[in-house]
Amino acid sequence: TFSTIGLILYSIGTVIDIPKEILAGAIISGAFIADKISPISGLIVINLNITATKYNRSLKYSLRTLIPAVLASCMVYYFLGKEYIILEKTSNLLEIQSQLGYAFNISPYLFLIPFIILVMSFLGFKPLQTIASGVSAGVLFSLFLQKYTLREIGKFLLFGFSLDTGNEIAELLQGGGLFNIIDVVIIVACAILLVNILI
């Protein structure tokens, strides 16, 4: 979360002069909340495997502490952020928005990818099946909506995404890839193996 969408949100926030401390706090709070509820979170996946629990049942118990945390965070950052939303600075956001529109085909259909992940999680599919379905949907949308080739998509999956436009948005949207998170994948795999040995 920190190294992908977190960096993008941080960069956008600095464009409109929101203090770095508030940005970092908001992003870290969001990441902790998301880690507790996301169906593809490493922590959630390990817990579901250990306890042989369905995601929807786990979510029901998590909501007891999650909802107050979300409401408290929303209130705190709403009041902290009110003074930094200045209309004169929104031209910078409009510039970023136009660059995104130039680089990508932005469509409501893209909401189908997280929708598929959420529906499969609630229906009780295994996390690996859910993640594989999300990646497959992302590949299909990249092929047919964004017009990338299979070779480019494979490169993005392994080495991370990058744009060749050379503008400001290209710096925001680079990173990711399997090789960049291989150490995290190994740690999670070892944790799951250890859990299976101890059970």
Side-chain angles (χ1 to χ4, degrees):
T1 304
F2 299 145
S3 61
T4 52
I5 192 67
L7 283 179
I8 295 169
L9 293 174
Y10 186 85
S11 301
I12 291 172
T14 55
V15 166
I16 56 173
D17 296 330
I18 296 177
K20 296 177 181 179
E21 298 82 9
I22 292 177
L23 283 172
I27 292 166
I28 291 168
S29 299
F32 273 106
I33 289 172
D35 192 50
K36 190 173 180 182
I37 194 173
S38 171
I40 57 173
S41 161
L43 180 63
I44 294 292
V45 170
I46 290 173
N47 284 337
L48 294 180
N49 282 332
I50 292 172
T51 59
T53 308
K54 300 288 186 184
Y55 173 74
N56 47 7
R57 186 177 177 189
S58 170
L59 178 66
K60 183 174 73 173
Y61 291 108
S62 297
L63 288 176
R64 295 176 184 174
T65 53
L66 185 71
I67 290 173
V70 170
L71 291 176
S73 298
C74 287
M75 287 175 58
V76 167
Y77 287 110
Y78 172 76
F79 287 111
L80 283 174
K82 274 178 71 173
E83 62 182 285
Y84 300 108
I85 304 302
I86 300 171
L87 292 176
E88 288 78 10
K89 297 175 183 176
T90 55
S91 60
N92 295 332
L93 290 177
L94 293 174
E95 176 64 25
I96 291 175
Q97 188 178 14
S98 66
Q99 288 180 17
L100 280 171
Y102 178 77
F104 302 101
N105 292 318
I106 298 174
S107 166
Y109 291 118
L110 294 171
F111 283 109
L112 285 172
I113 299 172
F115 181 74
I116 288 168
I117 292 172
L118 288 173
V119 168
M120 289 185 70
S121 299
F122 280 113
L123 291 177
F125 284 87
K126 292 182 178 179
L128 191 58
Q129 295 172 324
T130 304
I131 294 168
S133 300
V135 170
S136 300
V139 168
L140 289 174
F141 276 103
S142 297
L143 274 172
F144 297 109
L145 188 63
Q146 306 301 339
K147 308 299 182 189
Y148 286 114
T149 64
L150 277 174
R151 182 178 178 181
E152 289 174 320
I153 295 168
K155 182 181 174 185
F156 297 152
L157 287 171
L158 293 175
F159 303 105
F161 182 79
S162 62
L163 281 173
D164 297 328
T165 56
N167 57 19
E168 183 181 349
I169 203 68
E171 296 178 8
L172 292 178
L173 299 178
Q174 62 182 0
L178 181 62
F179 289 152
N180 290 327
I181 60 164
I182 196 69
D183 52 342
V184 177
V185 172
I186 291 170
I187 290 170
V188 172
C190 290
I192 292 172
L193 286 172
L194 182 61
V195 165
N196 288 329
I197 291 168
L198 294 176
I199 289 179

